[in-house]
Amino acid sequence: MDAQGRGQADDNNVDPADQWVFNPNTGNYELRLDPAGQAPARPADRKAPGRRSARNPRAGGGDTDTRPLPVQRGRGADDDEPGEPAEGGRATRRAAGRAGTAAAAGAGAAASRRKPKPKKSGKRKFLYWTAGVVGFVLVAGCGTAFVIYEQLDGNIKKVDVGEENSAVTDGPANLLIIGTDARTGKGDTGYGDSGSVGHADTTILMHVSKDRTNATALSIPRDLITDIPDCPTKQPDGSTKVVPGQQHVRFNTSLGQEGRDPGCTWRTVEKLTGVKINHFMMADFNAVKDLSDAVDGVEVCAAKDINDPKSHLKLTAGRHVVKGEQALAFVRTRHSVGTGSDLSRIQLQQQFIGSLIRKLKSSAFGSPSKLLDVAQAATKALTVDTGIGTASKLLDFGNDLKKVDLNKITFATVPVLDNPRDKATVVLDTAKADPLFKMVQQDHTLAKGAGKDKGGKSAPVKKAPPELVRVDVTNGGGPFGAAQETVDWLQNTKGARLSTNAGNAPEKLSATRLEYAPNQADQAATLAAWMGLPKSALKKTGADAGPRVPMKLVLGKDFTAPGSPIEAPTETPEGVQHVNADDKNICAK
C-alpha cells in the first residue's frame, strides 16, 4: 500500500492485495489492515491521517472562449509521491487486482468449511467520490465498501473558503460543482487556453431535498452576465485578502480572475440564486478521462454525425461507448451540435452525467481492483471545502445523500436570453428564473411524482374576514420601503385596516415569516392566501394572543413586492430546459 509518506507499507512489509479478504457473512470483500486473525479495520476505527494543504489559484487575467469541462488540481491523476516511479500508482492497482483475486480465493476456500449465512439480496453498493460530473455519483452511490482509506484521504485537496459547514445537515443539501478551464494536471496541457488562470467554466448547483427523495441540478451558463460580490480569500501566508466585487461581468470570472478562489464562485451563486450552499467540489479534465476508463466506458447518443475539429470528437449517428480522451471530447464539444453555443454543450454534459450515474448504479464492482480504480480516479480529481476535506467526511456526506433514486434526479439549465449588448454573452431570463430559483429555495422538486404527500389532505382552515386581520409588518431583508408598501397594499387593496408598519426588523431573514398565535389561525390563513406565503413561512406560537395583539409579518430577502406570490410553483416553469437523469433516450442533436 502506498501509505502516502506515513511508512505503513514499509514497516509491515505487507502486500496491499493480500489485505483484501472475502467476508462470507456480508458477501463483500473487506480490507484487513491489521495482522491476520484480527477484525478488519473499518474507516471509523482508524485515526484520520495528516492532511495536505490546499493550493490557491494563481492570480491572473484574461478570459477565454475555450473553457472545457472540469479542471483544477495540484498534481496529475497518475502522479505519485516524490521519488516514486510515475507509473507506480497504476502498477499498484494492477498488482492489487491480481493478488486480491488470489487472496479472495484462499479466503473463500476457508469459508467453505463453515456454514455460510444467507447472502443479502441485491447488488453490492459502494461509495464513489469525485467532483464535476462525479459529484452526482455521491447521490448514486452508497458507502459500504472498505477501501484503501488512508491513501484516498491523502488524495483529496481542499481550500478554506471561510465556510466550515458540517458534512451532514438535517435540512436540504446544496452542493456546488465546479469545473475550470485551467491547463493544470498531467495530460491536460493540450486543453483549454494556456493563459487561463482557471475560470468557472462548468458550474452546477445540485440541490438535494430535505427528505432525500429527489435532487435538482442547475447548470449555470459560463457566459451569463451577473454581479460578483466582494470575496475574502485565504493567502499562502495565512492572511485574508478581500477581492473587490464586480458588476455586470461574465459569471465564469467568479473564479481565477483577480485571484478569486472557489469561495468567490460559491458567494456568486448564492447571490444569483438565493440558495444557501453547504459544500463545493472542483475537479479537472482527468476526472472525466480516468473515471470513464475506470467504469469501462460511458454510453452516449448522437442524433447525427458529429465531427468537431476543435474538440477532436468524431462520432457517427447512434449510440457509442466513450471513455478516456473520447469521453472528454464529448463533454467539451459544442461546435457540431445544437446551436454551437455553450448552452448546447451543457445538454451534452447532462446526458453524459446521467449515463455515468446509470453505469455506476448498475455495475456490480465485485473485485477490489475495480473498486480501487474508481476510488483512485475519483479522489485524485477532487478539490473540496474543509467541511468535507477528509475521506471520512466525504463518506458521511455520500451516505447522507444515497437515498435519492436515479429517476428522481432532474437536470435543468438556468434560463437565459441573448444579451442585446453583446452577442457572445447571455442575461438572466428573470420571468422563468425567479420561479425556478424559488422552487429550489423552498425545496420543491422538479422531478415528476417525487416528494408528494401520500397522506390525505388536511382540512382547510377557516379564513377570517379582512376587517379582522390584525398584523404588524416589518422589513427584515426586503426592498427599501417594502413594509410601508405592503401596509398600503393590505389596507387599500385588501381592506385590512388593522395592518401597521412596524419599521425594520431586528434581524435580516432570508425568507419571509408570519408569526401567529393558535387563536389567530384564521387571520394567518387569510394573510397567507393574499401574499402567497408557503407553509414554511408560517410559525405558530405556543399560547393564544389577546384580542388586540397583532400577528407579526417579517418581510425577508425572498420578498419582492406585495401581490407577487412568495410561494414557489409546484411544477417546473414552462420553457425551462430540464431532463431526467434516468432518461436513456436523450441524443445530441
Side-chain angles (χ1 to χ4, degrees):
M1 180 189 300
D2 176 5
Q4 297 294 324
R6 286 177 286 275
Q8 180 175 338
D10 294 337
D11 293 343
N12 295 327
N13 195 26
V14 177
D15 189 321
D18 293 334
Q19 295 174 307
W20 288 98
V21 179
F22 182 80
N23 188 336
N25 296 328
T26 63
N28 291 326
Y29 288 100
E30 298 180 358
L31 180 64
R32 189 184 300 276
L33 296 176
D34 299 315
Q38 296 184 15
R42 296 174 180 268
D45 298 331
R46 303 191 62 81
K47 184 177 180 181
R51 308 291 184 251
R52 293 182 180 177
S53 59
R55 301 187 181 183
N56 292 330
R58 293 173 298 176
D63 195 3
T64 174
D65 289 330
T66 309
R67 306 181 193 92
L69 195 75
V71 65
Q72 185 82 8
R73 60 189 288 130
R75 59 191 181 105
D78 293 327
D79 288 356
D80 299 293
E81 291 297 323
E84 293 182 344
E87 296 298 321
R90 296 188 182 276
T92 300
R93 292 197 296 272
R94 290 196 294 268
R98 292 192 297 268
T101 304
S112 66
R113 294 192 292 270
R114 299 187 297 270
K115 185 178 179 180
K117 294 182 179 180
K119 292 184 178 180
K120 297 179 180 179
S121 61
K123 297 179 179 179
R124 302 186 186 110
K125 298 179 180 179
F126 299 91
L127 172 67
Y128 312 100
W129 297 310
T130 190
V133 298
V134 195
F136 296 95
V137 177
L138 289 171
V139 176
C142 172
T144 59
F146 297 111
V147 293
I148 301 183
Y149 194 67
E150 292 187 353
Q151 184 173 352
L152 297 181
D153 199 60
N155 287 343
I156 303 168
K157 298 171 285 294
K158 54 184 176 286
V159 173
D160 183 356
V161 297
E163 297 280 353
E164 186 69 33
N165 297 326
S166 60
V168 178
T169 176
D170 293 333
N174 296 305
L175 172 66
L176 184 64
I177 300 166
I178 306 172
T180 79
D181 60 356
R183 288 175 54 169
T184 56
K186 184 176 180 180
D188 290 343
T189 54
Y191 304 105
D193 183 83
S194 60
S196 174
V197 292
H199 299 104
D201 182 65
T202 298
T203 305
I204 300 173
L205 174 61
M206 185 172 72
H207 167 83
V208 182
S209 65
K210 179 178 179 179
D211 60 9
R212 304 301 188 252
T213 61
N214 62 89
T216 297
L218 294 181
S219 294
I220 302 174
R222 69 183 187 191
D223 297 322
L224 173 66
I225 297 299
T226 190
D227 295 339
I228 301 174
D230 293 346
C231 178
T233 59
K234 290 285 186 179
Q235 302 301 301
D237 61 2
S239 63
T240 298
K241 174 185 176 183
V242 176
V243 180
Q246 288 182 281
Q247 287 71 46
H248 308 298
V249 294
R250 289 190 189 213
F251 172 84
N252 68 346
T253 58
S254 64
L255 178 67
Q257 204 84 358
E258 308 298 333
R260 296 188 177 104
D261 66 10
C264 302
T265 305
W266 177 317
R267 291 171 175 83
T268 301
V269 173
E270 286 188 337
K271 181 178 178 64
L272 173 68
T273 65
V275 177
K276 183 68 175 177
I277 294 171
N278 302 101
H279 302 290
F280 87 87
M281 291 182 177
M282 185 167 63
D284 63 4
F285 293 117
N286 285 313
V288 177
K289 294 188 291 185
D290 291 350
L291 196 67
S292 61
D293 281 339
V295 299
D296 298 324
V298 176
E299 184 179 79
V300 297
C301 179
K304 63 179 183 179
D305 293 347
I306 298 177
N307 185 5
D308 187 350
K310 293 195 174 183
S311 69
H312 307 294
L313 178 66
K314 291 184 179 181
L315 288 179
T316 57
R319 296 186 179 275
H320 302 268
V321 175
V322 297
K323 58 182 179 178
E325 296 288 345
Q326 193 177 35
L328 179 58
F330 183 83
V331 298
R332 292 184 63 242
T333 192
R334 64 186 175 96
H335 295 287
S336 299
V337 294
T339 61
S341 68
D342 183 56
L343 299 178
S344 296
R345 185 171 65 175
I346 285 175
Q347 295 180 28
L348 287 181
Q349 294 169 358
Q350 292 173 349
Q351 179 193 157
F352 181 87
I353 294 169
S355 183
L356 174 60
I357 294 176
R358 291 194 298 272
K359 184 66 175 287
L360 287 166
K361 290 283 281 187
S362 63
S363 298
F365 289 98
S367 71
S369 59
K370 175 62 69 176
L371 173 60
L372 183 57
D373 282 344
V374 173
Q376 289 281 22
T379 54
K380 282 188 176 182
L382 271 181
T383 298
V384 301
D385 62 281
T386 53
I388 51 173
T390 66
S392 61
K393 291 179 180 179
L394 274 175
L395 180 62
D396 291 340
F397 185 56
N399 274 330
D400 181 45
L401 307 184
K402 70 184 181 183
K403 297 179 182 179
V404 182
D405 291 332
L406 183 59
N407 63 354
K408 296 299 184 292
I409 301 175
T410 304
F411 298 102
T413 303
V414 171
V416 295
L417 299 170
D418 291 336
N419 186 359
R421 297 181 179 180
D422 179 7
K423 294 182 179 180
T425 61
V426 293
V427 294
L428 195 67
D429 185 346
T430 54
K432 298 175 183 177
D434 286 349
L436 178 63
F437 293 157
K438 283 185 178 180
M439 290 187 72
V440 178
Q441 292 165 9
Q442 298 179 26
D443 204 19
H444 289 199
T445 177
L446 271 65
K448 294 183 178 180
K452 301 297 182 182
D453 185 4
K454 298 180 180 179
K457 294 183 178 180
S458 59
V461 177
K462 183 180 178 179
K463 296 179 182 178
E467 62 270 15
L468 295 183
V469 175
R470 186 185 297 270
V471 60
D472 280 352
V473 182
T474 58
N475 191 350
F480 180 78
Q484 186 59 50
E485 184 182 4
T486 300
V487 169
D488 291 342
W489 178 77
L490 288 173
Q491 292 182 351
N492 300 326
T493 304
K494 297 300 181 180
R497 301 297 182 183
L498 300 179
S499 55
T500 305
N501 179 2
N504 291 326
E507 61 178 344
K508 300 292 184 180
L509 299 181
S510 60
T512 297
R513 184 173 67 199
L514 174 62
E515 297 180 4
Y516 65 98
N519 62 334
Q520 296 173 325
D522 56 344
Q523 297 181 49
T526 300
L527 187 59
W530 288 342
M531 300 194 63
L533 298 179
K535 291 182 179 179
S536 59
L538 306 182
K539 305 297 180 183
K540 183 163 58 175
T541 59
D544 286 346
R548 294 183 178 276
V549 175
M551 299 183 294
K552 296 180 180 180
L553 176 63
V554 184
L555 305 177
K557 294 179 180 179
D558 59 349
F559 179 82
T560 54
S564 178
I566 295 175
E567 184 173 18
T570 56
E571 298 292 336
T572 306
E574 186 176 354
V576 174
Q577 180 272 334
H578 65 289
V579 296
N580 189 278
D582 201 27
D583 190 346
K584 305 178 182 64
N585 299 315
I586 302 174
C587 288
K589 298 179 181 180

